[in-house]
Structures are given as structure tokens and as C-alpha cells.
Amino acid sequence: MFHVHRHDVVDSTSNEAARRVRAGTAQHAEVHTAREQTAGRGRLGRPWHSRPNAGLYATLVWFTGARPNGAAATMAAGLAVLDAVRALGLRTARLDWPNDLVVDGAKLAGVLIEALPSNGRTALVVGIGLNVGSAAFPRELTDERAVTSLAHEGVATEPELVLEALLPPLAARLDAALDPDRVDGMVDDFAAATGLLGTRVVVRAACGRASNSEGTPARTDGAPSERGHTGTLRALAFDGLELVLDTGPLRIPLEHVRALDPA
């Protein structure tokens, strides 16, 4: 089913996949992996540290007819990575909003998805970086945030074995995200995988259309800024997450959520 292209060194596997999509030569379920990336990237353009042979650097191309729900696709990919590491024996990982896998707050993996037009279809370019063999990390990386790897967490494996564990759940999760009859279950699985439902959390959100229990916007000036909210996470759905604050319920659209962390 999968068409795997194994590279020695590339700028990034996502760039390689995107070039083929734009050229019209990419296939459905095409996968690009690399031993090393020279310009791996993550969310908000941040570089992904890609030491040779130390991680899984992989990108999947998945074609769909209509433009998919971006939140569902991102959740699907994150859940698939979680499925894979749990199958490899790591049970303590959880999902961190919106596209990271963490263990006790330390980053293990990241997901970056782009949707590209291609001959009347949409190509999802699903990039995944997962730390596999590193037991230590450079200071410039750990100064930004705590980082971990499968090896550091006691799981001895290799990138190729991680890829084998990842591809089946990734296909299954993406199929579910693109199926109107199954997509609602995606957000329920994601909410459970964060481990945050019913707990006190801190949400950083772009100011704009957060609303209180009466549906009144919490802020209406449209200023390009960010606010923090602390409360109990009561619900997470595609139309937004709901917090219970001391002043009452607050709903925040998912597209405005910048971070969701334990309080």
C-alpha cells in the first residue's frame, strides 16, 4: 500500500514530498524518509533538530477529494504517532496541543501538516519527526524546552521499526478523519489522549471570538494579541474547547488556541 522513498540526506522530507506534489509526480500513500535532514522544520517554522540516524524523519502524502478538516487531520496524525509509540512499549506519552507528543512535559515528537492543491484534489503532506536513539541533546535545543527520545525513555528500537509501527495507524486515523461518519470520534480520542479533560489547564488564545456562556464575545476589539485563561477543561470539540472559569463557562474556537497546558 505504501510507496516508501528512502533518502540519505535531504533538506526536509516534507519539502521533498511537497516538491513531488507540485510537480504532479507524487502518489497516494507515498512516504519519504531520510537518515538526516539539513533543514527540518516544525510548527511556526521552528527548526527540527535532525541528527543523522537519531530519529524518524518521515513525510506521508495522502490524497483526498475535498479539502479536509485541518483540525481533524492534525489530530489524526498526532494520535497515530501516539498509537505507534504505545505499541512499541511507551505508555507514558500524551498529546500536547496541537501537534506534539510529550513525556512528562519533554518533547518526543512533532507533527506538521500542509494541504496542497493537486489536479483538483488536495494532498495532505504529513511530516513527522520523532526522537528515537538520542540519549543526550545539544544545549541550544534543551534551552528552548525539555526534550526526550524513545531511547531516553527506555525503548530500544530503530527508526525503520518505528516507521513500520507508525504507517498502519496513520492510514487508519487519516481515513477516519476524512470520513464524516467517524470524524467526530477523532476529537474524543484526542481529548482523551491529552489527559487534560476535567483538570485545571492554562489556555493561551488569540484574542477575538472567545465567548462566555451567553455567547457574548469575551473581546471585540480584534486586536492582534494573546490572552491566558485558567480553568477546568470541560469539553473539547471541533467548534471549540470549553473552560469553566471562576466567572463561568468560556468557549474558545480551536483555531484561536495557541497552547493548552496543565495548570
Side-chain angles (χ1 to χ4, degrees):
M1 173 184 180
F2 298 99
H3 314 280
V4 181
H5 301 257
R6 294 175 173 85
H7 307 276
D8 184 30
V9 180
V10 295
D11 51 354
S12 88
T13 57
S14 288
N15 286 350
E16 183 69 22
R19 284 190 286 264
R20 287 176 55 86
V21 169
R22 294 188 177 102
T25 58
Q27 298 173 277
H28 179 68
E30 177 174 300
V31 181
H32 292 268
T33 68
R35 182 184 66 84
E36 180 181 0
Q37 295 183 127
T38 59
R41 55 196 171 91
R43 185 173 176 245
L44 303 178
R46 296 189 183 101
W48 178 268
H49 189 70
S50 306
R51 293 177 60 191
N53 300 316
L56 173 67
Y57 318 125
T59 298
L60 169 71
V61 177
W62 201 259
F63 283 100
T64 176
R67 188 174 180 86
N69 181 315
T74 297
M75 290 178 185
L79 284 165
V81 178
L82 183 62
D83 292 339
V85 301
R86 285 179 173 173
L88 291 167
L90 180 58
R91 308 298 302 179
T92 53
R94 70 170 184 85
L95 288 175
D96 188 34
W97 184 270
N99 54 4
D100 290 345
L101 204 68
V102 298
V103 180
D104 294 329
K107 185 171 180 176
L108 173 66
V111 176
L112 181 66
I113 296 185
E114 298 173 272
L116 301 177
S118 179
N119 299 320
R121 299 183 295 171
T122 296
L124 290 175
V125 179
V126 185
I128 296 168
L130 192 152
N131 298 322
V132 178
S134 299
F137 301 92
R139 183 170 179 176
E140 64 267 22
L141 189 65
T142 56
D143 280 350
E144 181 179 340
R145 70 173 294 176
V147 183
T148 192
S149 68
L150 292 178
H152 189 74
E153 300 300 329
V155 178
T157 187
E158 300 174 359
E160 193 67 23
L161 296 178
V162 178
L163 183 67
E164 291 178 10
L166 172 63
L167 290 180
L170 184 54
R173 290 288 190 178
L174 286 172
D175 280 343
L178 299 170
D179 184 342
D181 294 328
R182 293 189 288 162
V183 69
D184 286 342
M186 187 67 59
V187 72
D188 295 333
D189 288 350
F190 184 89
T194 68
L196 297 178
L197 276 179
T199 70
R200 295 277 291 177
V201 299
V202 178
V203 177
R204 284 193 292 109
C207 292
R209 304 306 299 174
S211 62
N212 60 24
S213 57
E214 284 74 39
T216 304
R219 176 167 177 161
T220 58
D221 59 17
S225 58
E226 200 172 80
R227 292 183 66 180
H229 306 277
T230 300
T232 300
L233 181 62
R234 184 159 73 179
L236 180 62
F238 286 125
D239 62 350
L241 61 80
E242 186 173 337
L243 292 179
V244 179
L245 310 180
D246 293 340
T247 54
L250 178 72
R251 181 169 289 275
I252 304 171
L254 288 191
E255 63 268 25
H256 291 174
V257 177
R258 299 291 178 262
L260 172 62
D261 298 303

